[in-house]
């Protein structure tokens, strides 16, 4: 059973036992906000600078991903160049280029 289904069932049960639906919704909303506040506090993100910190972390993560992508492209480029050079050297040796140069 999903969380929303459990919440809906509990709210229906509370309403059946005499609680107002608006009161039950308010309780559920307050419980959600309290849980979110506790989670943010445990992560150390409950101060006023948390939004700026998260923005900086996202920017840093984006830069890291860009750098990683660029590094892989450079490695692939170098492997392709080295492979081409080895292929050309092999063709030169196969067709006697060294004899032709002498």
């Amino acid at each position: 059973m999903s969380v929303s289904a459990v919440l809906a069932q509990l709210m229906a049960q509370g309403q059946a036992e005499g609680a107002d639906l608006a009161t039950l919704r308010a309780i559920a909303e307050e419980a959600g906000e309290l849980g979110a506040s506790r989670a943010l506090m445990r992560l150390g993100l409950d101060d006023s600078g948390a939004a700026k910190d998260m923005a900086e972390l996202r920017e840093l993560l984006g830069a890291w991903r860009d750098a990683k992508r660029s590094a892989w492209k450079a490695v692939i480029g170098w492997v392709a160049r080295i492979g081409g050079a080895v292929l050309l050297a092999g063709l030169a040796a196969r067709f006697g280029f060294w004899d032709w140069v002498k």
Side-chain angles (χ1 to χ4, degrees), residues 16-71:
E17 294 176 3
D20 184 13
L21 184 59
T23 304
L24 291 172
R25 287 182 187 267
I27 290 171
E29 185 176 335
E30 288 297 321
E33 287 183 19
L34 180 62
S37 295
R38 285 182 182 172
L40 289 173
M41 187 172 41
R42 287 181 184 155
L43 292 173
L45 298 172
D46 58 338
D47 60 348
S48 62
K52 182 182 174 195
D53 293 342
M54 290 303 295
E56 288 177 359
L57 283 172
R58 286 183 176 158
E59 185 178 333
L60 182 62
L61 183 59
W64 169 255
R65 288 177 178 157
D66 289 342
K68 198 166 57 169
R69 190 177 309 118
S70 296

Side-chain angles (χ1 to χ4, degrees), residues 6-16 19-22 24-26 28:
V6 170
L7 182 58
Q9 182 181 3
L10 288 173
M11 290 176 66
Q13 180 183 353
Q15 187 178 17
D20 184 13
L21 184 59
L24 291 172
R25 287 182 187 267

